[in-house]
Amino acid sequence: MNFYAAIVFSCIIFNSCDKNDSVDLMNRETVALKVQVDGDTFSGTKQIEFKGSVKGTGMSSANGSVQRKEVDLEGGFSLQAELTIDTTGTIQRSGLKVLKNSTNAVSEATQVGSNVVYKLVVFAADGTYITERDYIRGQEATAATLNLDGGTSYTFVAYSLNNTAAPPLITFADPANKRLSTASVKGISGNVDLLYFRKTMELNGGSTNFLSIIFEHSYSQVTTTVDATKTGYTISALTANFDSHHATADLNLSNGSLVRPVASENIAVAFSGLNTAVVQSAPILLNGETNMGRFVISTLTIGPLTQVIPPDAISGLQIIPGMKYNLKLEINPKDTYLDHSGQKAVRINGKIWMRYNLGFNTTRDADQTPYISDQHGYYYQWGRSPAVAGRGATTTNGNWNSTPAAGNNRWNLGTSGAPVKNTANDPCPAGFRVPTVAEFQDLLNWTVPSNTGSFTDSNTNFSGVKVFTSKRNRYVKILFPMQGYFSYTTSGTTYVPTGITDRGSYGSAWASDRTNNTFRYLRMTSTEVRIGSNGPNAALALQATCIRCIAE
């Protein structure tokens, strides 16, 4: 190589080295990191399910995001429970972005409130602790500038209580050797909204870098709705709680996992909107992870009834940290209208009654008021099947029998507790029979009486009606018209019928019970409803009043 070539070669080598050194120095120079919070999110990619079930109830699932179960409750109700993932404010993990040279927020996340305080901790690529800063949401520019090395990879961890309180301090297992793998935050309350973020990124040299933080919620959030719309009544009292909640948690900064050092406990759920048909709780935070969570209702008053709900009725809930749930409970009354054995019927407390008195004109509507004569029924003497007077009649017909029916079992071959229809004398249609006193009393126990129409005593007043409304379902009613009754008198040694008595002001319906010539019946006026008792006198079987049939 000649002298000039050597000089040229040396210059090329020198310039090349100088350029590479300049690039390396630029990458390693101190650069500023600007921090911003662009929202918070709940996990939206996990699945939930009920684990286990209550005996005698069914459960089904179309997918892992919705689980349902139906529970039969005492007192004639069923409860439909549905637990769903609320995807509002959730994004996939791939949506957690670091924004460089940009201030645009990720649109899928919800916004963290202004003035929320959070801590950002910086670790080197090998996990060595570097530094930390406390920031106030919306006031990041006022914090001390965070300067780091360009061209270097860091792990950034942020956490917050989602309020204006200063985040708790970090605990290192070895304070002399602070590392990400041994860093934690201990004793965090289970009743605060703990937020966590982690991102590893390499900073660009020669320009300002931007770190966009989208926090993830560490605890679960549940909003509970109780819907009693189908009962027609309002909810006046409701107390409930979730179990499997922990008072505190320790946060592992390396991965956001939680350690719960104390045993689980109950957390109360507060509801608003009482005295309406639908009540909803404020969202509550659950610090727990379980496959057998329970939602326990200790008090629930709907209309006139206070429910007794077993503590394990809504159990087997899988609670996953960081998930947002909706728990919807629908109360369904079993009292309802139905067709039974060819008759329009109503079910109240599990017992099925004809919706009208025997002899009602079935082309009419049993619920339409004011009542007319067609909506009344026929009149029957105790223990006999022929009708002795038609609806609206003022005198009896040729079926009236002047001999009192003998025997206690004319309508019931069994007992009051286990009745058996005597088909030879019972006038009720197939599938129905004359009710017992116990069945009438049950009807009174599970309904609320009221009046409609005029309760004036008149042979032409058909409008007076006693209305019995189900205590479980305000839309279900059974109506009894004030038909009055036919009595008897004597003509020499013979019993003869009298004309109609107390129509419009008094109503009654026979029971099948008879003991020692004492007869039982349902008695109704404008001011009272009770089980009547008349006797002892065998001749009282000659009286004629209405029959309201009950299903066998």
Side-chain angles (χ1 to χ4, degrees):
M1 179 182 299
N2 60 35
F3 175 75
Y4 295 105
I7 291 175
V8 171
F9 180 76
S10 298
C11 289
I12 293 173
I13 294 297
F14 176 79
N15 289 334
S16 175
C17 293
D18 182 65
K19 181 178 181 181
N20 289 336
D21 288 346
S22 297
V23 171
D24 289 340
L25 289 172
M26 180 178 67
N27 285 338
R28 289 194 301 270
E29 70 180 348
T30 298
V31 295
L33 179 69
K34 291 189 176 181
V35 179
Q36 63 189 44
V37 173
D38 283 329
D40 65 281
T41 178
F42 288 89
S43 299
T45 60
K46 299 174 183 176
Q47 304 250 301
I48 61 173
E49 60 181 334
F50 280 99
K51 298 290 187 179
S53 63
V54 176
K55 183 178 180 181
T57 65
M59 53 187 291
S60 62
S61 173
N63 56 63
S65 296
V66 180
Q67 290 290 323
R68 300 179 181 90
K69 68 190 304 184
E70 185 170 352
V71 181
D72 285 327
L73 304 177
E74 295 180 4
F77 290 92
S78 66
L79 184 151
Q80 181 77 40
E82 180 180 272
L83 182 66
T84 60
I85 295 175
D86 185 346
T87 58
T88 303
T90 65
I91 62 175
Q92 305 297 326
R93 287 185 178 274
S94 59
L96 300 178
K97 303 175 182 178
V98 173
L99 305 183
K100 297 185 179 181
N101 302 313
S102 171
T103 59
N104 294 325
V106 177
S107 61
E108 296 93 335
T110 58
Q111 288 298 310
V112 175
S114 297
N115 300 321
V116 167
V117 180
Y118 61 96
K119 184 182 290 291
L120 178 67
V121 191
V122 184
F123 295 90
D126 65 355
T128 302
Y129 170 84
I130 301 297
T131 189
E132 62 187 75
R133 292 282 192 282
D134 283 356
Y135 292 96
I136 298 175
R137 168 77 167 89
Q139 301 178 38
E140 285 87 351
T142 64
T145 302
L146 180 57
N147 294 315
L148 298 169
D149 292 337
T152 302
S153 180
Y154 296 95
T155 295
F156 299 94
V157 175
Y159 61 93
S160 171
L161 303 183
N162 203 10
N163 57 31
T164 58
L169 300 177
I170 306 169
T171 297
F172 292 94
D174 182 1
N177 183 22
K178 298 179 178 181
R179 304 189 62 78
L180 176 58
S181 59
T182 63
S184 64
V185 181
K186 296 187 178 296
I188 303 171
S189 170
N191 299 318
V192 298
D193 190 7
L194 177 61
L195 304 177
Y196 172 82
F197 167 83
R198 170 177 167 158
K199 184 69 177 182
T200 299
M201 61 179 284
E202 182 179 327
L203 301 187
N204 288 339
S207 63
T208 299
N209 286 255
F210 294 85
L211 176 64
S212 170
I213 296 175
I214 298 181
F215 283 111
E216 288 191 332
H217 292 264
S218 296
Y219 299 154
S220 302
Q221 186 185 98
V222 186
T223 301
T224 303
T225 303
V226 181
D227 187 348
T229 300
K230 291 184 178 179
T231 70
Y233 292 106
T234 61
I235 300 171
S236 58
L238 175 58
T239 56
N241 65 266
F242 282 97
D243 68 358
S244 306
H245 175 72
H246 296 258
T248 63
D250 298 341
L251 172 67
N252 292 321
L253 289 190
S254 62
N255 56 17
S257 64
L258 299 174
V259 176
R260 301 172 182 87
V262 296
S264 64
E265 58 186 34
N266 296 333
I267 183 170
V269 180
F271 288 89
S272 61
L274 289 177
N275 299 310
T276 62
V278 181
V279 299
Q280 187 174 76
S281 75
I284 68 161
L285 296 169
L286 281 181
N287 173 26
E289 183 171 8
T290 179
N291 290 331
M292 294 301 294
R294 296 191 307 170
F295 179 75
V296 180
I297 299 175
S298 52
T299 303
L300 175 59
T301 301
I302 302 174
L305 297 178
T306 296
Q307 305 303 310
V308 178
I309 300 179
D312 62 349
I314 308 166
S315 60
L317 301 174
Q318 184 178 16
I319 303 300
I320 301 173
M323 300 293 285
K324 185 179 183 182
Y325 301 102
N326 286 321
L327 177 62
K328 295 183 179 180
L329 308 177
E330 184 178 75
I331 308 296
N332 297 312
K334 295 183 179 179
D335 288 4
T336 188
Y337 296 121
L338 69 159
D339 291 331
H340 183 80
S341 296
Q343 302 293 327
K344 296 297 181 182
V346 56
R347 180 172 59 227
I348 295 178
N349 196 37
K351 296 175 176 60
I352 298 174
W353 298 81
M354 284 173 50
R355 293 181 64 184
Y356 33 73
N357 284 344
L358 190 59
F360 172 93
N361 183 345
T362 56
T363 64
R364 299 289 186 176
D365 182 350
D367 290 333
Q368 184 175 343
T369 58
Y371 257 36
I372 60 175
S373 61
D374 263 3
Q375 294 167 289
H376 282 212
Y378 297 159
Y379 297 81
Y380 297 84
Q381 293 175 294
W382 189 92
R384 298 191 183 278
S385 60
V388 300
R391 49 183 174 263
T394 57
T395 60
T396 58
N397 59 31
N399 291 328
W400 196 87
N401 195 315
S402 61
T403 301
N408 294 338
N409 62 354
R410 295 282 298 185
W411 281 337
N412 181 5
L413 296 175
T415 64
S416 184
V420 177
K421 181 178 181 178
N422 186 339
T423 57
N425 303 308
D426 191 318
C428 290
F432 289 85
R433 56 173 173 76
V434 178
T436 66
V437 165
E439 290 164 334
F440 271 133
Q441 187 61 58
D442 185 80
L443 178 65
L444 300 186
N445 291 344
W446 292 102
T447 55
V448 178
S450 61
N451 301 328
T452 184
S454 169
F455 277 68
T456 302
D457 187 347
S458 169
N459 288 355
T460 59
N461 177 19
F462 303 100
S463 67
V465 173
K466 205 75 179 180
V467 180
F468 296 89
T469 301
S470 164
K471 289 182 177 180
R472 300 183 183 88
N473 188 342
R474 192 170 60 87
Y475 303 117
V476 171
K477 302 175 182 180
I478 183 170
L479 280 63
F480 284 78
M482 301 296 100
Q483 288 197 205
Y485 65 101
F486 289 91
S487 190
Y488 64 91
T489 187
T490 57
S491 177
T493 60
T494 304
Y495 293 113
V496 295
T498 62
I500 189 68
T501 301
D502 293 339
R503 175 174 290 158
S505 63
Y506 172 86
S508 58
W510 283 122
S512 62
D513 301 67
R514 173 181 177 173
T515 304
N516 297 325
N517 291 327
T518 297
F519 302 86
R520 309 297 300 277
Y521 55 96
L522 177 64
R523 172 188 172 89
M524 298 162 287
T525 68
S526 63
T527 58
E528 73 167 350
V529 175
R530 62 180 175 87
I531 303 300
S533 179
N534 211 355
N537 183 355
L540 293 172
L542 297 174
Q543 290 184 339
T545 191
C546 307
I547 290 177
R548 179 62 62 96
C549 302
I550 192 170
E552 294 186 80

